[in-house]
Amino acid sequence: MILTVTLNTALDITYRVPSLRAGASHRVSEVLERPGGKGVNVARVLAALGHEVTVTGFSGGPTGRVLRDRLTEVPCVTDALVPVSGATRRTVTLVDDRTGATTHLNEPGPHIAHAEWSAFQEVYEDLLPSASAVALCGSLPPGVPVGAYANLVRTARAARVPVLLDTSGAALRRGVAGRPDLLKPNTEELAELTGSHEPLRATQDARRRGAGTVVASLGADGLLAVTPEGRWRATPPAQLTGNPTGAGDAAVAGLLSALVEHRPWPERLIRATALSAATVLSPTAGDFDHAAYDRFLTTVTVTGVATAA
């Protein structure tokens, strides 16, 4: 079982409009509603790849009930969310069909009381012995300590469970000090963490700050991995147009699935890049175009070198 942690779960709502104009009224051509938050998106991709996944984090209020109902519809996913008194947030994505541009509106999430945070930590510790890997994903809801991820990383490592961290801002700065096995930032998050806008230099700096391995999302340019075993760059076959929401989450799912299958690093990066690209061609986060994924597996290129033994 792979465990994904989403402390700030969400009900993702996607509106498609023919052309988005500020200050104007719009007719929505399509509405899509899915359980979301980064770790939930990761779980849905992992499940589509055939892995058993357990989802934990927080859920509350009417929105939380809808989210949990929708999770029951996803095969291979087990709900271990912790109930809270506040309401789960909604995230709204506006997709402009004319340009392909996406606009995001993200609510902050419910305030988590001290007792609710303690209850989650107990659930997390109980789940770890059954986990082959754990992903800690997304923002921290109000009330959760800024150092929460560092503590959760240390708990996973103490249980000898490989742990991936995918977050941003202060949660990333504090979390990397917990020494996660794998850190998966994008270029903006890397620059904020290290002060460097040069991806290779920033990735190497992030490793020095505590991460065992860093895999940086370079957007349309693919992935850059700096690991104890070597350094590699994976590049998709072509520039793609579509909805990039969730592409980074799909990359996390690819990395985790290949990790638990004990694949070598070049294969991990091919899978992660192919999934990320196939997600861009899907209308909603947490889904991917399966035919495109199969095609990209044979067309993603990887360059790099392994560290000499």
Side-chain angles (χ1 to χ4, degrees):
M1 176 269 286
I2 299 175
L3 177 63
T4 71
V5 175
T6 313
L7 298 178
N8 211 1
T9 56
L11 187 66
D12 286 343
I13 303 167
T14 301
Y15 294 126
R16 303 191 72 95
V17 296
S19 179
L20 184 62
R21 292 171 292 133
S25 296
H26 298 80
R27 289 190 177 275
V28 176
S29 58
E30 184 180 21
V31 180
L32 298 169
E33 189 177 82
R34 295 287 190 277
K38 291 180 71 64
V40 175
N41 294 337
V42 171
R44 286 169 53 204
V45 175
L46 284 168
L49 294 172
H51 288 273
E52 295 291 331
V53 192
T54 296
V55 172
T56 190
F58 297 110
S59 175
T63 308
R65 287 194 292 273
V66 174
L67 184 150
R68 300 186 82 162
D69 287 343
R70 292 298 179 90
L71 274 181
T72 64
E73 302 168 2
V74 184
C76 300
V77 172
T78 298
D79 175 359
L81 293 168
V82 175
V84 295
S85 59
T88 295
R89 66 189 178 128
R90 295 160 297 180
T91 61
V92 177
T93 299
L94 306 175
V95 181
D96 185 326
D97 286 333
R98 179 177 59 86
T99 65
T102 57
T103 301
H104 305 286
L105 304 173
N106 297 327
E107 296 178 359
H111 186 278
I112 305 301
H114 177 75
E116 293 167 338
W117 174 238
S118 297
F120 166 78
Q121 291 180 90
E122 291 181 9
V123 169
Y124 177 70
E125 291 179 15
D126 288 344
L127 290 169
L128 281 175
S130 302
S132 55
V134 58
L136 307 173
C137 302
S139 61
L140 301 177
V144 172
V146 70
Y149 279 138
N151 291 332
L152 297 179
V153 167
R154 294 185 184 105
T155 302
R157 288 178 58 83
R160 299 182 182 275
V161 179
V163 55
L164 179 152
L165 178 62
D166 182 13
T167 186
S168 60
L172 173 58
R173 290 193 301 273
R174 295 285 295 274
V176 73
R179 307 188 70 81
D181 297 277
L182 178 56
L183 192 69
K184 210 293 297 171
N186 60 33
T187 51
E188 292 180 1
E189 292 160 352
L190 260 183
E192 185 178 6
L193 174 65
T194 67
S196 174
H197 292 271
E198 200 288 308
L200 178 57
R201 181 180 303 162
T203 303
Q204 292 170 328
D205 188 8
R207 279 201 71 211
R208 286 191 290 269
R209 291 169 185 260
T213 288
V214 180
V215 178
S217 292
L218 308 179
D221 293 327
L223 298 173
L224 171 66
V226 178
T227 84
E229 291 82 26
R231 186 175 76 208
W232 291 273
R233 172 82 174 268
T235 307
Q239 297 285 324
L240 302 172
T241 58
N243 181 5
T245 307
D249 303 332
V252 168
L255 293 170
L256 281 178
S257 63
L259 167 67
V260 300
E261 294 171 20
H262 307 290
R263 303 284 183 174
W265 268 108
E267 290 187 26
R268 298 185 198 186
L269 295 174
I270 288 172
R271 182 180 298 184
T273 304
L275 279 169
S276 183
T279 298
V280 173
L281 301 181
S282 176
T284 55
D287 295 329
F288 62 94
D289 185 314
H290 289 251
Y293 168 60
D294 291 338
R295 185 170 68 252
F296 292 148
L297 283 174
T298 64
T299 53
V300 171
T301 58
V302 176
T303 58
V305 60
T307 302

